[in-house]
Coordinates of all heavy atoms in Angstrom, one line a residue:
F1 N -0.6 -11.6 -12.8 CA -0.4 -10.3 -12.0 C 0.8 -10.5 -11.1 O 1.3 -9.4 -10.6 CB -1.7 -10.1 -11.2 CG -2.8 -9.8 -12.0 CD1 -3.9 -10.7 -12.1 CD2 -2.9 -8.5 -12.8 CE1 -5.0 -10.4 -12.9 CE2 -4.0 -8.3 -13.6 CZ -5.0 -9.2 -13.7
L2 N 1.4 -11.7 -10.9 CA 2.7 -11.8 -10.2 C 3.9 -11.6 -11.0 O 4.8 -10.9 -10.6 CB 2.8 -13.3 -9.6 CG 1.8 -13.6 -8.4 CD1 2.0 -15.1 -8.0 CD2 2.2 -12.7 -7.2
V3 N 3.7 -12.1 -12.3 CA 4.9 -12.0 -13.1 C 5.0 -10.6 -14.0 O 6.1 -10.1 -14.2 CB 4.9 -13.1 -14.2 CG1 3.8 -12.9 -15.3 CG2 6.3 -13.2 -14.9
S4 N 3.9 -10.0 -14.1 CA 3.8 -8.7 -15.0 C 4.6 -7.6 -14.4 O 5.3 -6.9 -15.1 CB 2.3 -8.3 -15.2 OG 1.7 -9.2 -16.2
P5 N 4.5 -7.4 -13.1 CA 5.4 -6.2 -12.6 C 6.9 -6.4 -12.8 O 7.5 -5.4 -13.0 CB 5.1 -6.4 -11.0 CG 3.7 -7.0 -10.9 CD 3.6 -8.0 -12.1
F6 N 7.4 -7.6 -12.8 CA 8.8 -7.9 -13.1 C 9.1 -7.6 -14.6 O 10.2 -7.1 -14.9 CB 9.2 -9.2 -12.7 CG 9.1 -9.5 -11.2 CD1 8.0 -10.1 -10.7 CD2 10.1 -9.0 -10.4 CE1 7.9 -10.3 -9.3 CE2 10.0 -9.3 -9.0 CZ 8.9 -9.8 -8.4
L7 N 8.2 -7.9 -15.5 CA 8.4 -7.6 -16.9 C 8.2 -6.1 -17.1 O 8.9 -5.5 -18.0 CB 7.3 -8.3 -17.8 CG 7.5 -9.9 -17.7 CD1 6.3 -10.4 -18.6 CD2 8.8 -10.3 -18.2
F8 N 7.4 -5.4 -16.4 CA 7.2 -3.9 -16.5 C 8.5 -3.3 -16.1 O 8.7 -2.1 -16.5 CB 6.1 -3.5 -15.4 CG 4.8 -3.4 -16.1 CD1 4.5 -3.8 -17.4 CD2 3.7 -2.9 -15.4 CE1 3.3 -3.7 -18.0 CE2 2.5 -2.8 -16.0 CZ 2.3 -3.2 -17.3
L9 N 9.3 -3.9 -15.2 CA 10.6 -3.3 -14.8 C 11.5 -3.1 -15.9 O 12.3 -2.1 -15.9 CB 11.3 -4.2 -13.8 CG 10.8 -4.3 -12.4 CD1 11.5 -5.4 -11.6 CD2 10.8 -3.0 -11.6
F10 N 11.2 -3.7 -17.1 CA 12.1 -3.6 -18.3 C 11.2 -2.9 -19.4 O 11.7 -2.1 -20.1 CB 12.6 -4.9 -18.8 CG 13.4 -5.6 -17.8 CD1 13.0 -6.6 -16.8 CD2 14.8 -5.2 -17.8 CE1 13.8 -7.1 -16.0 CE2 15.7 -5.8 -16.7 CZ 15.1 -6.8 -15.9
L11 N 9.9 -3.2 -19.5 CA 9.1 -2.7 -20.5 C 8.9 -1.1 -20.3 O 9.1 -0.5 -21.4 CB 7.7 -3.3 -20.5 CG 6.6 -2.7 -21.3 CD1 6.9 -2.9 -22.8 CD2 5.1 -3.1 -20.9
I12 N 8.5 -0.7 -19.2 CA 8.3 0.7 -19.0 C 9.5 1.6 -19.2 O 9.5 2.6 -19.9 CB 7.7 1.0 -17.6 CG1 6.4 0.2 -17.3 CG2 7.4 2.5 -17.4 CD1 5.3 0.5 -18.4
P13 N 10.6 1.2 -18.6 CA 11.9 2.0 -19.0 C 12.2 2.0 -20.5 O 12.7 3.0 -21.0 CB 13.0 1.3 -18.2 CG 12.3 0.7 -17.0 CD 10.9 0.3 -17.5
A14 N 11.9 1.0 -21.2 CA 12.2 1.0 -22.7 C 11.2 1.9 -23.4 O 11.6 2.5 -24.4 CB 11.9 -0.5 -23.2
I15 N 10.0 2.0 -22.8 CA 9.1 3.0 -23.3 C 9.4 4.4 -23.1 O 9.3 5.3 -24.0 CB 7.6 2.7 -22.8 CG1 7.0 1.4 -23.4 CG2 6.7 3.9 -23.1 CD1 5.7 1.0 -22.8
T16 N 9.9 4.7 -21.9 CA 10.1 6.1 -21.5 C 11.6 6.6 -21.8 O 11.8 7.8 -21.7 CB 9.9 6.3 -20.0 OG1 10.6 5.4 -19.3 CG2 8.4 5.9 -19.7
M17 N 12.5 5.8 -22.0 CA 13.9 6.2 -21.9 C 14.2 7.2 -23.0 O 15.1 8.0 -22.8 CB 14.8 4.9 -22.2 CG 14.6 4.3 -23.6 SD 15.8 2.9 -23.8 CE 15.4 2.4 -25.5
R18 N 13.5 7.3 -24.1 CA 13.7 8.3 -25.1 C 13.0 9.6 -25.0 O 13.3 10.5 -25.8 CB 13.5 7.7 -26.5 CG 12.0 7.3 -26.7 CD 11.7 6.9 -28.1 NE 12.1 7.8 -29.1 CZ 11.4 8.8 -29.4 NH1 10.2 9.1 -28.8 NH2 11.8 9.7 -30.3
M19 N 12.0 9.7 -24.1 CA 11.1 10.8 -24.0 C 11.8 12.2 -24.0 O 11.4 13.1 -24.7 CB 10.1 10.6 -23.0 CG 9.0 9.5 -23.4 SD 7.6 9.4 -22.3 CE 6.5 8.3 -23.3
F20 N 12.7 12.3 -23.0 CA 13.5 13.5 -22.9 C 14.9 13.4 -23.4 O 15.5 14.3 -23.9 CB 13.5 14.0 -21.4 CG 12.2 14.7 -21.0 CD1 11.4 14.1 -20.2 CD2 11.8 16.0 -21.5 CE1 10.1 14.7 -19.8 CE2 10.7 16.6 -21.2 CZ 9.8 16.0 -20.3
A21 N 15.5 12.2 -23.1 CA 16.8 12.0 -23.5 C 17.1 12.2 -25.0 O 18.0 12.7 -25.4 CB 17.3 10.6 -23.1
E22 N 16.1 11.6 -25.8 CA 16.3 11.8 -27.2 C 16.2 13.3 -27.7 O 16.9 13.7 -28.6 CB 15.2 10.9 -27.9 CG 15.2 11.0 -29.5 CD 16.5 10.5 -30.1 OE1 17.3 9.8 -29.5 OE2 16.8 10.9 -31.3
E23 N 15.3 13.9 -27.0 CA 15.1 15.4 -27.3 C 16.4 16.1 -27.1 O 16.7 17.0 -27.8 CB 14.0 16.0 -26.4 CG 12.6 15.4 -26.6 CD 11.8 16.0 -27.7 OE1 12.4 16.8 -28.5 OE2 10.6 15.7 -27.8
K24 N 17.0 15.8 -25.9 CA 18.3 16.5 -25.6 C 19.4 16.0 -26.6 O 20.2 16.9 -27.1 CB 18.7 16.1 -24.2 CG 17.8 16.7 -23.1 CD 18.3 16.2 -21.8 CE 17.5 16.8 -20.7 NZ 18.0 16.4 -19.3
R25 N 19.5 14.8 -27.0 CA 20.5 14.3 -27.8 C 20.4 15.0 -29.3 O 21.4 15.3 -29.9 CB 20.5 12.7 -28.0 CG 21.7 12.2 -28.7 CD 21.4 10.7 -29.2 NE 20.2 10.7 -30.2 CZ 20.4 11.1 -31.4 NH1 21.5 11.4 -32.0 NH2 19.3 11.0 -32.3
A26 N 19.1 15.0 -29.7 CA 18.9 15.5 -31.0 C 18.9 17.0 -31.1 O 18.8 17.6 -32.2 CB 17.5 15.0 -31.5
G27 N 19.0 17.7 -30.0 CA 19.0 19.1 -29.9 C 17.6 19.7 -30.1 O 17.6 21.0 -30.3
T28 N 16.6 19.0 -29.9 CA 15.2 19.7 -30.1 C 14.6 20.0 -28.8 O 13.5 20.6 -28.7 CB 14.4 18.6 -30.8 OG1 14.3 17.4 -30.0 CG2 14.8 18.2 -32.2
M29 N 15.3 19.7 -27.7 CA 14.8 20.1 -26.3 C 14.5 21.6 -26.2 O 13.4 21.9 -25.8 CB 15.8 19.5 -25.3 CG 15.2 19.6 -23.9 SD 13.8 18.5 -23.7 CE 13.2 18.9 -22.1
E30 N 15.5 22.4 -26.5 CA 15.3 23.8 -26.5 C 14.2 24.3 -27.2 O 13.5 25.2 -26.9 CB 16.7 24.5 -26.8 CG 17.8 24.3 -25.7 CD 17.3 24.8 -24.3 OE1 16.7 25.9 -24.2 OE2 17.7 24.1 -23.3
L31 N 14.1 23.8 -28.5 CA 13.0 24.1 -29.3 C 11.7 23.8 -28.8 O 10.8 24.7 -28.8 CB 13.2 23.5 -30.8 CG 12.1 23.8 -31.8 CD1 12.1 25.2 -32.1 CD2 12.3 22.8 -33.0
L32 N 11.6 22.6 -28.1 CA 10.3 22.2 -27.5 C 10.0 23.1 -26.4 O 8.8 23.5 -26.2 CB 10.4 20.8 -27.0 CG 9.2 20.2 -26.2 CD1 8.1 20.1 -27.1 CD2 9.6 18.8 -25.7

């Protein structure tokens, strides 16, 4: 529980980075 938060600093952004950014890049954001 001491080390996991520091790994989360990279894991969570890797999970979320595409959620809206990819929609915008692919042009599907307006459709959504």
Side-chain angles (χ1 to χ4, degrees):
F1 295 110
L2 286 173
V3 74
S4 287
F6 294 97
L7 297 180
F8 268 5
L9 289 174
F10 300 94
L11 170 71
I12 304 298
I15 288 175
T16 60
M17 66 180 183
R18 62 175 304 280
M19 287 188 166
F20 281 110
E22 177 62 19
E23 299 273 12
K24 292 182 178 181
R25 188 198 65 79
T28 58
M29 189 66 186
E30 289 302 321
L31 178 62
L32 177 63

